[in-house]
Amino acid sequence: AQRVTQPEKLLSVFKGAPVELKCNYSYSGSPELFWYVQYSRQRLQLLLRHISRESIKGFTADLNKGETSFHLKKPFAQEEDSAMYYCARGSNYQLIWGAGTKLIIKP
Amino acid sequence: DAGITQSPRHKVTETGTPVTLRCHQTENHRYMYWYRQDPGHGLRLIHYSYGVKDTDKGEVSDGYSVSRSKTEDFLLTLESATSSQTSVYFCAISEGTGDGPGVAFFGQGTRLTVV
């Protein structure tokens, strides 16, 4: 079965420290991969899409096909980055979702 | 924000009653989805639609049914609400690409409490 794994339910780092949110996916061809973010009591919104190779709000994510990973990184965390982060991959008509990582940035 | 709205935003209902949640889009996207979001489980797909009158089950479809009679509306019905269906429900839409569903846009969510 197609799977997306986010091994950390909770990640807490200090403001200004680097952040890495891990995401691994089950291998199947060339996946369509995404990171979504959900701020407190708001709707989910797209943060990054692997094909765009953009940096959004200072976050980047690199697709590593050899390790089947799509980790999300930011060199210097800010307090406004505190949110729930979800990794997802496209599969036919659906998106397969990881369980999410709650990121807390401590002042 | 993409043109996607959910109604109602909040609802409290009694066990055993039917409940219908509505998702309305103005983007003419092909794919529509209903998810539930629960602590510790992330997002779980209930049902999805890949066109008018074309729907399929997700991983947690028991106790739920859907209908899509026109492109813009996707209805989720809890046939007989139970306390385990207390959750936040999100609708999402996507346009689709040749390789997959494409970017998903989400509604604001419906907080449903079954008492």
Side-chain angles (χ1 to χ4, degrees):
Chain A
Q2 307 267 4
R3 282 189 185 162
V4 174
T5 304
Q6 293 180 251
E8 302 134 331
K9 289 188 177 180
L10 175 66
L11 184 62
S12 181
V13 302
F14 284 102
K15 177 182 173 182
V19 172
E20 182 179 49
L21 300 169
K22 292 184 168 56
C23 173
N24 289 90
Y25 61 92
S26 56
Y27 178 75
S28 177
S30 297
E32 192 180 28
L33 288 160
F34 308 88
W35 275 100
Y36 284 80
V37 61
Q38 186 181 27
Y39 301 103
S40 180
R41 293 191 170 266
Q42 294 187 27
R43 70 180 80 194
L44 279 87
Q45 55 187 285
L46 179 70
L47 182 62
L48 282 177
R49 186 178 186 185
H50 86 278
I51 60 172
S52 67
R53 303 185 67 81
E54 294 180 317
S55 171
I56 305 293
K57 298 186 179 183
F59 285 96
T60 59
D62 289 322
L63 175 61
N64 185 324
K65 290 188 178 181
E67 295 182 357
T68 61
S69 68
F70 189 55
H71 301 329
L72 183 69
K73 299 178 184 179
K74 185 170 183 176
F76 307 104
Q78 298 172 299
E79 288 186 66
E80 54 264 36
D81 295 330
S82 292
M84 201 65 192
Y85 291 80
Y86 291 95
C87 182
R89 67 162 291 171
S91 176
N92 297 321
Y93 302 132
Q94 304 180 40
L95 283 168
I96 310 297
W97 295 86
T101 298
K102 184 172 184 177
L103 177 63
I104 297 174
I105 308 302
K106 297 178 286 189
Chain B
D1 289 339
I4 174 170
T5 55
Q6 293 182 229
S7 58
R9 295 290 313 283
H10 301 273
K11 186 168 181 68
V12 179
T13 192
E14 292 185 350
T15 299
T17 60
V19 177
T20 295
L21 309 182
R22 180 178 183 241
C23 178
H24 179 78
Q25 62 148 326
T26 58
E27 304 296 322
N28 201 37
H29 281 1
R30 179 181 178 187
Y31 301 103
M32 298 186 77
Y33 310 85
W34 276 108
Y35 293 94
R36 58 179 291 172
Q37 184 181 44
D38 303 288
H41 291 278
L43 284 172
R44 291 184 290 175
L45 182 64
I46 305 171
H47 282 277
Y48 64 99
S49 169
Y50 46 96
V52 174
K53 297 187 180 178
D54 290 323
T55 65
D56 207 348
K57 296 179 180 180
E59 63 178 300
V60 291
S61 59
D62 286 348
Y64 301 94
S65 62
V66 290
S67 66
R68 191 172 180 197
S69 58
K70 45 187 178 178
T71 300
E72 55 265 38
D73 289 324
F74 193 35
L75 304 180
L76 175 71
T77 297
L78 287 66
E79 293 142 8
S80 177
T82 67
S83 59
S84 65
Q85 293 176 313
T86 293
S87 186
V88 179
Y89 292 84
F90 283 98
C91 176
I93 62 174
S94 67
E95 189 173 20
T97 68
D99 299 321
V103 176
F105 298 95
F106 282 81
Q108 295 166 295
T110 296
R111 187 171 295 271
L112 177 69
T113 303
V114 183
V115 298

